[in-house]
Amino acid sequence: MTHSDKEDNPPGGAADGSMWGLRAARLFDGVTLRPGRPLVVIRAGRIVDVDLSGIRPSADLHVVDLGDVTLLPGLVDSHVHLAFDPHGHPFEQLRQEDDATVLDRMRTHARQALRAGITTVRDLGDRNYLGLSLRAEYESGADVGPELLLAGPPITRTGGHCWFLGGEADGVDGVRAAVAERVARGMDAIKVMATGGVLTPGWSPFESQYGLAELRAVVETAHEAGRPVCAHAHSGGGIADAVAAGVDVIEHGFFLRLHDGQGDAEPDWRTVAAMVEAGVLVSTTTARRPEEKMPALVAKVRDNFGKMQREGLRLVCSSDAGVGPLKTHDCLPYGVIDFGALLGFAHAEAIAAATSVAAQACGVADRKGRVAPGYDADVLAVAGNPLERLEALLEVRAVFRAGRRVR
């Protein structure tokens, strides 16, 4: 096999198991920026070596040289809804559409995410376990998409938030059975609606849907089966109960409250301290496309997250893609930019929040979120240097999923 510094693609898409190299001007490995034309060596969809010497490789190694770009880990969006149309009305659509229509939309959204460099998505709310069908397509080789981590229909009380996805369960016995069903179906995580939300009439984000006993039953049953628990929780009371129950990740974590009849956000710092001590992560779901004027409540939530981070709370940059027109399925890079500009993260920390820290939140940190030997060859190449300018994440030059170039 001949050496080349100009070929655009690895031989045969690397499907034959041969070893090949990916070279660029610099590499952010998930922790540190590595200049000097590093070389990432890949075989069978995995990274087998990272050569930082900058020397010319052996003549028998095929090398794809992308030039003046930065390689970094493929992004991980730990909270998406592939079934949700951001420009539609999920509450109405998902009560009326057939499975084929919903699955086709999920397929389109997954491709959109992958083109933006999001190589892993965790779907925290589909209908009828349709994510399993899409994952089977990818595993068969019929199509290439991001790695799908699935939770299935979120567990919610009868008539509760997102009941239309089919996850209603009541009482301790009911939620235990719901967890067992998801484990039996091969779900990667368990999602429980600790509070109401904004999509479903009847339960507001200020209200708790489950008590501490039910939340503990969810956590105990899930952990016995080796599954992490993600708790949708907007209000301070719902967050506190979920943390006391032992959940692994709080989704949203806005600490919403009603103040003089208006929505407000004010952290309970005792709960924040308990989260820090327990190692609970918060998936902020704040990524969104830019808007002319940020709503005051959104701005306050982001300001609060900056304060929580300075108190030692670990934050994950995620999107909640699908829940509104600014939440397109490729919006995660804008969230990373905001982590730097609005939350005060160092650029390396902001990128880590959507790579290595997000991979930890998803339970796949042993193979995702880093460019290092033994990790999946999910690699994003962007123009310039994102550690100098986070907007470079929007200037995608190449995306590799399990060693296969998809953009």
Side-chain angles (χ1 to χ4, degrees):
M1 195 174 295
T2 26
H3 170 84
S4 169
D5 280 330
K6 297 296 182 185
E7 290 290 334
D8 288 331
N9 291 287
D16 59 359
S18 58
M19 194 149 53
W20 60 282
L22 182 59
R23 167 158 270 171
R26 64 198 73 80
L27 162 71
F28 177 67
D29 62 10
V31 177
T32 304
L33 182 69
R34 307 286 189 176
R37 289 173 52 77
L39 178 71
V40 179
V41 183
I42 296 167
R43 179 170 55 198
R46 306 277 285 188
I47 298 168
V48 296
D49 192 20
V50 178
D51 183 357
L52 303 176
S53 69
I55 64 174
R56 187 178 180 89
S58 61
D60 61 350
L61 181 71
H62 179 100
V63 175
V64 176
D65 193 331
L66 297 178
D68 186 20
V69 303
T70 300
L71 303 178
L72 60 152
L75 303 181
V76 178
D77 196 338
S78 65
H79 189 135
V80 308
H81 298 280
L82 294 176
F84 288 11
D85 176 2
H87 304 292
H89 302 280
F91 179 70
E92 297 296 334
Q93 289 173 308
L94 288 161
R95 289 192 303 158
Q96 299 171 9
E97 295 171 335
D98 61 23
D99 283 355
T101 300
V102 177
L103 183 58
D104 187 60
R105 183 164 60 241
M106 294 174 70
R107 194 179 292 117
T108 298
H109 289 158
R111 292 192 192 110
Q112 184 182 19
L114 188 60
R115 287 195 300 270
I118 304 165
T119 54
T120 301
V121 300
R122 179 156 71 173
D123 192 310
L124 289 184
D126 71 3
R127 191 189 73 186
N128 294 341
Y129 299 94
L130 287 174
L132 288 172
S133 298
L134 186 56
R135 183 157 68 184
E137 290 181 17
Y138 297 153
E139 291 176 348
S140 73
D143 197 2
V144 180
E147 175 150 347
L148 300 184
L149 304 173
L150 305 173
I155 299 172
T156 190
R157 65 177 299 157
T158 296
H161 183 49
C162 288
W163 65 264
F164 53 87
L165 295 176
E168 292 172 304
D170 298 306
V172 168
D173 291 341
V175 298
R176 285 189 183 277
V179 173
E181 177 185 352
R182 283 149 183 77
V183 170
R185 287 179 176 266
M187 296 298 100
D188 303 289
I190 304 301
K191 167 84 172 292
V192 60
M193 300 298 201
T195 71
V198 297
L199 285 181
T200 313
W203 285 93
S204 82
F206 309 105
E207 297 177 278
S208 293
Q209 292 197 155
Y210 287 122
L212 185 55
E214 292 154 313
L215 293 173
R216 279 181 172 154
V218 169
V219 171
E220 290 170 2
T221 310
H223 285 179
E224 286 169 3
R227 300 299 197 278
V229 176
C230 311
H232 161 106
H234 282 302
S235 68
I239 295 169
D241 282 347
V243 172
V247 304
D248 302 281
V249 182
I250 295 290
E251 305 294 331
H252 311 300
F254 296 164
F255 285 95
L256 297 182
R257 63 171 185 165
L258 282 174
H259 181 65
D260 293 334
Q262 301 293 319
D264 191 17
E266 187 61 44
D268 176 343
W269 295 106
R270 290 174 299 178
T271 300
V272 171
M275 295 161 78
V276 172
E277 183 177 358
V280 176
L281 286 84
V282 173
S283 176
T284 64
T285 65
T286 50
R288 57 201 281 155
R289 286 184 168 272
E291 53 194 323
E292 289 186 11
K293 184 177 180 181
M294 187 180 296
L297 184 56
V298 174
K300 187 166 186 180
V301 164
R302 294 189 185 198
D303 183 59
N304 288 340
F305 277 138
K307 295 175 182 176
M308 292 183 212
Q309 191 261 353
R310 291 188 285 278
E311 291 295 317
L313 190 64
R314 300 189 72 198
L315 303 181
V316 178
C317 182
S318 59
S319 71
D320 205 3
V323 300
L326 300 177
K327 299 278 193 175
T328 56
H329 287 79
D330 57 359
C331 74
L332 184 64
Y334 293 100
V336 179
I337 294 167
D338 286 349
F339 263 46
L342 302 179
L343 274 66
F345 277 49
H347 287 187
E349 291 177 325
I351 297 172
T355 54
S356 57
V357 180
Q360 180 184 345
C362 292
V364 291
D366 60 333
R367 60 187 182 88
K368 302 285 185 184
R370 295 285 307 278
V371 179
Y375 281 69
D376 293 350
D378 294 350
V379 181
L380 168 62
V382 300
N385 183 353
L387 270 74
E388 295 178 351
R389 177 175 160 271
L390 286 173
E391 288 78 5
L393 295 173
L394 303 174
E395 301 169 24
V396 176
R397 295 294 178 263
V399 179
F400 295 85
R401 166 73 183 103
R404 180 173 174 180
R405 188 168 187 173
V406 294
R407 171 169 177 171

